[in-house]
Amino acid sequence: MKRTLFASVAIAAIALAGAPVSAEEMKAEVIHWWTSGGEAAAVKVFADQFTKAGGTWVDSAVAGAANARNAAISRTVAGNPPTAMQLNTGKQFDELVEGDLLADVDAVATEGNWRGVMPAAIVAAATRNGKMYAVPINIHGQNWLWYNKTVLASVGAAEPKTWTDALAILDKLKADGKVIPLAFSGQKNWEQNLFNAVMIGVGGAQMWTGILGKRDVSLAGSPEFKTVAITYKKLKDYVDAGAPGRNWNDATNLVIQGKAGMQIMGDWAKGEFVAAGKVADKDYGCTVLSNGSGGYVMGGDVFVFPKAKDPSTTKAQMTLARLMLTPETQIQFALKKGSIPVRSDVDTSALDACAQKGMRYVADKAQQMPSGDMLAPPATIGALQDAISQYWNTNMSADEFSAKVVAVLKSQE
Amino acid sequence: MRLALSSRLSAISALLPALVVMFVVYIGATSWTVWMSLTNSRMLPNSNFVGLRQYQLLLGNDRWITSVHNIVIYGVLFVSLTLLIGFLLAVAIDQRVRAEDTIRSIYLYPYSMSFVVTGLVWQWLLNPTLGIQHVLRSWGFEGATFDWIVRPETAIYCLVIAGVWQASGLVMAIMLAGLRGVDDEIWKAARVDGLPKWRVYVSIIIPMMGASFATAAVLLSTGVVRLYDLSVAMTNGGPGIASEVPAKFVMDHLFERANIGLATAAATTMLITVIAVVAPYLYWRARKGEMR
């Protein structure tokens, strides 16, 4: 017994040590958090392309975004980095660049003219000190409004364009009393996501970048911000008692089944509609509420490459970077993932109606808005999340909430 | 002499791993945590000394204050209710009931489940649109309301309910062992004196079971300090920040929010609090040892 245990430990240790990589072959160990069905299919697009190019893709999927990031970052800091790791488009790799732990992909970016075909906000989010350090691979719209066409038609409502329209429709649905007007998932990050949709849709572009990007304290104390806060709190009248703690996909399914009228959610919600066999623009509609000053909040994912000691790994990294951005890979990936390509020059005819709408938003420079993650570090986003969540769930007044946001912006040095 | 030396050597070598673990893992890691809490580390540890700024931020942080309130509420209610219910269950089983083994297994069963499972099950039971309230209303009790879990002011009590449900069986097992340790002669004597049963329990048996109560209380208290998964699984700290707990504050800020400085300040505060609670007890124990 003891001896077999010892032997198995020894074998495991040898296995963990790994076989030495010869200089000729390209091996890429990739850490990411795409573990659900559609996501795994999407990442396979990259893996297949890399294999075709003669490389070996070692898939290190870790469930849960935070867990995957932690695993990848700890390994990088400890000097045993993966070849590539997934992060969200934004400030998550600031400190890795400061610590000189990442390889830049500027040569590949210049060669592939990335700056010419990507939205400026996405390029900026991937650039540090004038060089591109990350490969943006997709754009997720975060502030879509999804609605059930049959439900809206039943109260004689058309697609809303602004929050004023949306509130009028919610009122009608509430008076009608047959369905939940607004499907909602009461978890902190979705409370924040809903607030963000109101902030961009009511407050507009300047409010958005002013609060999140510039941390403008006077703006957080302004009457315009108070209007945003009041509009947000009004929405609480349209959600049901079961909302707190509900998962986002359960809320989406309420809209799909016609038990609820509409939902604010990122475009990953489309996967639920597709899985339920619903067709965009026929069964359900999608739109982005705006006050006319722009407002498509672009989040997304990037891959970064920790600096490698041996040239074969560097070669694998640059090959990956190049492959991820080819038009063919981009479109295949977007189809599987439900996101839209970061390139504006791909053939979008294969995409569904909502994704094409997204492409039109992104093509318009005035509509492109960087996500909160691109404008502020995780600590600030998190502190704001706590304030928003408290405001939504308690009897806090709009003035008290403004004061809280001011305090949060001040405390983030 | 030589023999003494070699036996001492072997004693030291036997203890060495434990000592290394203690110094490196416990004392080393704890000191490092305290040091980190004095820096402005964000995603990666750095050594930019900022004094007590993180502690200032922590004490002004609503979520931290709520977490501390919650752990006190949870701690007091969870330990007292679990001890009470566990003891009553043990007394009930101790009445020489039939099928004692079966009942004992049923009571102990919740303890074999992880907090994640317990949390999820209770989340469904307490959810007003799926659980108990929904069932009562569908039976025709239109006015029945049981929506504690979606109301910020009562959410923490839902955590207490689930915690008590899970741990009562364990306390029962400990108490039952204690009760079985009571000499039959005592019961006989009490019967001769014509004492009512409850009186025997309150005045004689409970005082005799000090050790069982102490064991159970210590086990439960360690569970209070590290309360994390139940909050995550049941409410994820919600609604709002109503059911946040200190351990969750530390974990969230350490990882998701890339705010190592604030997280370690919170962890250090937790450590100091635990030491402040335990120190008088250790002192008392040491004194008691001296007096013998």
Side-chain angles (χ1 to χ4, degrees), chain A residues 355-371:
Chain A
Q356 296 207 12
K357 227 178 196 175
M359 288 299 279
R360 282 199 293 279
Y361 281 122
V362 171
D364 176 2
K365 278 210 166 42
Q367 294 285 353
Q368 302 172 359
M369 298 309 296
S371 71

Side-chain angles (χ1 to χ4, degrees), chain A residues 143-147 159-161 264 285-289 354 357 361:
Chain A
N143 57 331
W144 284 95
L145 174 105
W146 308 93
Y147 62 93
E159 180 173 284
K161 291 269 172 282
I264 295 279
C286 49
T287 183
V288 173
L289 302 175
C354 286
K357 227 178 196 175
Y361 281 122

Side-chain angles (χ1 to χ4, degrees), chain A residues 95 188 379 386 389 393 404, chain B residues 42-43 62 152 240 244 257:
Chain A
E95 293 185 45
K188 283 192 192 66
D386 285 341
S389 188
N393 286 292
K404 239 186 217 331
Chain B
R42 288 291 194 180
M43 187 179 85
D62 281 341
E244 287 291 348
R257 298 193 173 179

Side-chain angles (χ1 to χ4, degrees), chain B residues 95-143:
Chain B
Q95 306 309 314
R96 304 226 154 58
V97 288
R98 253 182 309 180
E100 182 191 308
D101 290 353
T102 317
I103 296 174
R104 217 170 38 203
S105 312
I106 291 172
Y107 283 162
L108 253 179
Y109 214 75
Y111 192 72
S112 68
M113 277 194 219
S114 78
F115 258 146
V116 175
V117 177
T118 303
L120 275 178
V121 170
W122 278 96
Q123 183 195 36
W124 292 327
L125 280 172
L126 296 168
N127 183 310
T129 51
L130 301 168
I132 298 170
Q133 174 178 315
H134 176 72
V135 170
L136 286 175
R137 287 189 182 183
S138 66
W139 285 349
F141 299 101
E142 284 305 325

